[in-house]
Amino acid sequence: MKSVLLTLLLGLLSLGVWGQACKCQDKGGTEACKPVYNGKTLGVLGGLGPAASADFMRLLVVKAPATVDQEHPRVILLSQPQTPNRNDFIFGVGEDPEPALWSGLQLLSSWGADILCVTCNTAHYYIDHFRSRLDKPLVHIIDETVGAARERSPEGAWLTATLGTIKAGIFQDNAARSGYAFVVPDEETRNEVQEVINTVKAGRYEEAGALMRAVCLKLWSVRDIPVVAACTEIPIAYGYTGLPAEKCISSLEALADACIRELYD
């Protein structure tokens, strides 16, 4: 009796696999089955800064395996630029941004978000204090960026980020847990990177690109490994440098890729 049931079960499973294969063949048979939107809603806490969250929304559109409007995911964006400065408070200046980050994520959850993300790397220093208390899963930009760097450049990568992110060590600690290592620029270059970020936030993109180009060329003269854009303003600046896209590992792209994986089956 057991052998009969086992044979029947295996037969049903094989029919399911064959049925899926047939569906793919019915659509041409030459391409792999296209991922399907699973109906989950992504909640994005943005405005940190506004240009970065706008670029993230563009990346979601570009990366979604969609050919018509209805195949794109449902996304709720809360743009909250009034959140206190994440970088400054690490140095003891200004107001603590943690309550605003917590309330923003809770608001997105109450609006129906099934998955959460935040388009700011430095913000995750504070988010890690309460991540375990969130009632919805969070796609963590630091986790995803470290994973992308490890895959793209196993030998290491330059870490370009806000001064606060570098000081807090959130990238270095995360990477060390998996045996990966970032190369941190010297103090002068770290300050130049912060100026790149501030210039993007000021809306002066071409100027930011020129500054970022100089930073990259200086770093590559020391060691020719990719630059990790570990602040969500840096990929915007890098886009204005005229430098090869493959030499920049974007935290925004890593986050967008991870969110797409969560939203499609």
Side-chain angles (χ1 to χ4, degrees):
M1 183 65 178
K2 287 182 179 179
S3 62
V4 173
L5 289 173
L6 181 59
T7 302
L8 180 60
L9 178 59
L10 289 171
L12 288 171
L13 287 171
S14 66
L15 282 172
V17 172
W18 174 249
Q20 182 65 26
C22 287
K23 287 179 184 177
C24 294
Q25 289 171 2
D26 288 345
K27 294 180 180 180
T30 58
E31 298 181 4
C33 293
K34 188 173 79 172
V36 177
Y37 171 49
N38 59 24
K40 292 179 181 178
T41 299
L42 176 65
V44 181
L45 181 56
L48 314 170
S53 51
D55 200 34
F56 177 74
M57 296 298 288
R58 178 190 66 81
L59 286 168
L60 285 181
V61 174
V62 170
K63 291 176 177 291
T67 54
V68 295
D69 290 352
Q70 292 75 19
E71 292 175 352
H72 284 275
R74 184 169 184 257
V75 181
I76 304 170
L77 170 64
L78 172 57
S79 185
Q80 192 165 271
Q82 288 73 34
T83 302
N85 190 293
R86 284 72 59 201
N87 182 60
D88 287 355
F89 194 71
I90 290 174
F91 294 94
V93 177
E95 184 183 346
D96 186 353
E98 188 169 319
L101 295 168
W102 167 260
S103 64
L105 289 168
Q106 290 297 100
L107 186 58
L108 284 165
S109 180
S110 72
W111 286 348
D114 301 300
I115 307 165
L116 302 168
C117 74
V118 181
T119 57
C120 172
N121 288 274
T122 311
H124 286 68
Y125 168 73
Y126 306 96
I127 290 168
D128 284 349
H129 298 161
F130 59 73
R131 183 183 183 184
S132 62
R133 293 189 283 120
L134 291 170
D135 60 356
K136 299 293 169 60
L138 175 84
V139 182
H140 196 284
I141 195 170
I142 313 293
D143 292 346
E144 300 304 331
T145 306
V146 171
R150 191 171 57 245
E151 181 178 340
R152 293 252 312 266
S153 184
E155 68 277 16
W158 287 107
L159 182 64
T160 61
T162 65
L163 294 173
T165 291
I166 298 289
K167 177 180 170 62
I170 50 179
F171 269 91
Q172 302 94 306
D173 293 345
N174 188 303
R177 290 196 290 272
S178 62
Y180 191 71
F182 289 107
V183 183
V184 177
D186 60 32
E187 183 178 2
E188 178 183 63
T189 308
R190 294 198 299 270
N191 286 321
E192 290 168 354
V193 171
Q194 185 64 57
E195 183 60 26
V196 170
I197 294 163
N198 295 343
T199 305
V200 171
K201 287 180 179 292
R204 304 195 306 273
Y205 305 123
E206 290 185 2
E207 181 183 343
L211 292 170
M212 188 63 192
R213 180 183 177 88
V215 165
C216 291
L217 293 177
K218 186 205 301 192
L219 294 176
W220 293 335
S221 72
V222 176
R223 188 173 174 191
D224 192 9
I225 52 176
V227 167
V228 170
C231 168
T232 51
E233 273 74 35
I234 294 176
I236 297 172
Y238 193 89
Y240 285 84
T241 63
L243 297 170
E246 63 271 15
K247 297 198 74 171
C248 177
I249 299 168
S250 165
S251 57
L252 265 185
E253 287 213 29
L255 181 63
D257 286 336
C259 289
I260 291 296
R261 289 195 297 271
E262 293 292 328
L263 293 166
Y264 287 83
D265 297 329

